[in-house]
Amino acid sequence: MLIDTYGRVATDLRVSLTDRCNLRCTYCMPEEGLQWLAKPDLLTDDEIVRLVRIAVTRLGITEVRFTGGEPLLRPGLVGIVERCAQLEPHPKMSLTTNGIGLKRTASALKAAGLDRVNVSLDTLRPDVFKTLTRRDRHKDVLEGLEAARDAGLTPVKVNTVLMPGLNDDEAPDLLAWAVENAYELRFIEQMPLDAQHGWKRDGMITAGDILQSLRTRFELTEEASGERGSAPAERWLVDGGPHRVGVIASVTRPFCSACDRTRLTADGQVRTCLFATEETDLRGALRAAPEGSTGGSDEAIARIWKQAMWGKKAGSGLDDPSFLQPDRPMSAIGG
Ligand SMILES: C[S@@+](CC[C@H](N)C(=O)[O-])C[C@H]1O[C@@H](n2cnc3c(N)ncnc32)[C@H](O)[C@@H]1O
């Protein structure tokens, strides 16, 4: 079990498959100049499957989310999903993606055993999309979303970040569109994880702002708090239901006390939190004791992972005056 000193148990594993992305969202990556991880430092497909196996069979992980960077850029993605789907006990598996290329791979991912996807989309306006992501790919994302829904990768959730002066007027339009298309929309407060370190608390759009804007057009009824569990999104029924909208208030209403996550970067480092400033290396242990070698190497790796999680801090530290933004941007941590 991955338990920490506060009694929290991590059952949800986020695995970054690459730090590369085909978009350059302003709140995540710089326009250019970000150094990619060196190829030899990246975990191989076999190493990823081995770590997921250790997590599922020895450490109590029940949910695996593949992310990045952009996980659809990883050539071996379908094979990784297929091999992880054969593990016993069988983990729930999902993907966080920008949707570009999903049109081609959605059916193969479903057949390989993926349960569902979260697709990130911040705007319904192609020109705003181009400004926010610095790429002209709005149509590809919409097509990817449809393909995911048609392939049965459901519920398809849409992650949206609102940025002041760019798309903060779009919340009601986005919700109307999500209801019409049977997507579950979740707004995420912008967090200090941009490569440029330009985040400012007083400039961000808060959960309160988002709800106020949505209520100009919809009646929202908050779900009973017990239904949130360790899920980061607080959810509201839209106009009496059954459609719901979520808000992930990572900054203004953090959910650290119920956090059940552990993270693995594309270069094999365990992170206890998005905002952790320390990482624990698993890649070295993996490569020192290849699969099949004697000496209980899987046990040794599981032990290192457990020790790392035992030291998980109580909270993200965002409200602490001494808060330091992590060195790696969101794209390299795995969002
Ligand atoms: C880092 S991306 C990685 C997966 C994939 N490329 C995607 O677009 O979903 C995962 C999620 O993190 C969100 N994200 C990135 N930087 C963020 C920030 N500074 N604050 C809040 N969310 C952020 C993105 O909007 C996206 O929904």
Side-chain angles (χ1 to χ4, degrees):
M1 216 162 60
L2 292 173
I3 189 166
D4 66 39
T5 52
Y6 299 91
R8 294 168 298 188
V9 177
T11 53
D12 180 345
L13 168 62
R14 306 282 155 128
V15 184
S16 173
L17 297 181
T18 176
D19 57 327
R20 293 178 185 244
C21 191
N22 39 11
L23 297 181
R24 292 289 180 279
C25 301
T26 51
Y27 49 76
C28 188
M29 293 175 88
E31 188 157 14
E32 52 191 33
L34 192 63
Q35 191 80 34
W36 304 125
L37 291 170
K39 187 114 192 273
D41 291 344
L42 291 177
L43 296 181
T44 64
D45 292 2
D46 286 347
E47 287 172 335
I48 288 169
V49 174
R50 182 176 175 203
L51 285 179
V52 173
R53 178 169 53 70
I54 291 171
V56 167
T57 60
R58 295 173 182 265
L59 296 171
I61 290 298
T62 56
E63 290 200 44
V64 179
R65 168 87 56 91
F66 297 108
T67 181
E70 176 44 52
L72 291 176
L73 294 180
R74 176 119 190 170
L77 172 65
V78 173
I80 292 172
V81 170
E82 195 165 34
R83 290 166 69 190
C84 292
Q86 282 155 18
L87 294 171
E88 283 298 335
H90 179 67
K92 279 196 216 147
M93 278 192 297
S94 58
L95 183 74
T96 299
T97 170
N98 61 31
I100 298 170
L102 200 50
K103 187 180 171 187
R104 282 190 306 279
T105 45
S107 303
L109 285 166
K110 179 70 185 176
L114 192 74
D115 293 302
R116 44 167 226 88
V117 291
N118 281 14
V119 177
S120 305
L121 179 67
D122 301 329
T123 176
L124 297 173
R125 304 193 298 236
D127 57 320
V128 175
F129 184 91
K130 197 170 164 189
T131 306
L132 264 170
T133 68
R134 304 184 178 109
R135 297 289 185 272
D136 198 3
R137 309 295 300 268
H138 191 248
K139 185 166 167 276
D140 301 273
V141 180
L142 295 180
E143 288 177 353
L145 270 162
E146 282 171 28
R149 188 189 54 206
D150 295 349
L153 291 168
T154 50
V156 174
K157 296 188 183 176
V158 175
N159 289 350
T160 299
V161 178
L162 294 181
M163 297 293 286
L166 274 174
N167 60 343
D168 54 335
D169 57 340
E170 279 195 68
D173 289 346
L174 280 158
L175 182 53
W177 163 84
V179 169
E180 194 182 317
N181 287 281
Y183 303 137
E184 188 175 319
L185 183 64
R186 298 137 35 104
F187 292 94
I188 308 176
E189 283 182 343
Q190 187 203 355
M191 295 177 274
L193 290 166
D194 55 314
Q196 311 87 296
H197 291 215
W199 179 88
K200 287 196 185 66
R201 183 184 283 265
D202 53 11
M204 60 168 281
I205 307 296
T206 64
D209 299 331
I210 296 164
L211 291 168
Q212 193 179 1
S213 169
L214 292 176
R215 286 194 160 114
T216 59
R217 204 180 304 170
F218 300 94
E219 192 190 310
L220 301 182
T221 320
E222 190 166 4
E223 266 190 348
S225 60
E227 291 175 45
R228 185 182 185 190
S230 60
E234 293 177 89
R235 299 201 301 179
W236 283 261
L237 287 175
V238 180
D239 289 339
H243 204 93
R244 291 177 167 80
V245 63
V247 180
I248 304 181
S250 326
V251 177
T252 60
R253 294 188 58 183
F255 41 91
C256 305
S257 62
C259 181
D260 63 353
R261 294 183 183 176
T262 182
R263 295 175 180 274
L264 191 60
T265 63
D267 55 348
Q269 312 296 306
V270 172
R271 295 182 65 93
T272 57
C273 170
L274 275 177
F275 296 103
T277 47
E278 283 163 23
E279 299 179 342
T280 303
D281 181 39
L282 288 186
R283 190 186 64 215
L286 267 181
R287 293 188 180 170
E291 197 150 24
S293 60
T294 52
S297 58
D298 283 3
E299 274 114 53
I301 290 164
R303 205 173 319 119
I304 298 171
W305 205 330
K306 277 188 200 170
Q307 270 164 7
M309 291 306 293
W310 181 248
K312 181 173 171 122
K313 298 214 169 103
S316 62
L318 268 175
D319 286 326
D320 192 322
S322 65
F323 172 75
L324 280 182
Q325 191 171 329
D327 290 336
R328 295 201 203 222
M330 181 73 131
S331 59
I333 293 170

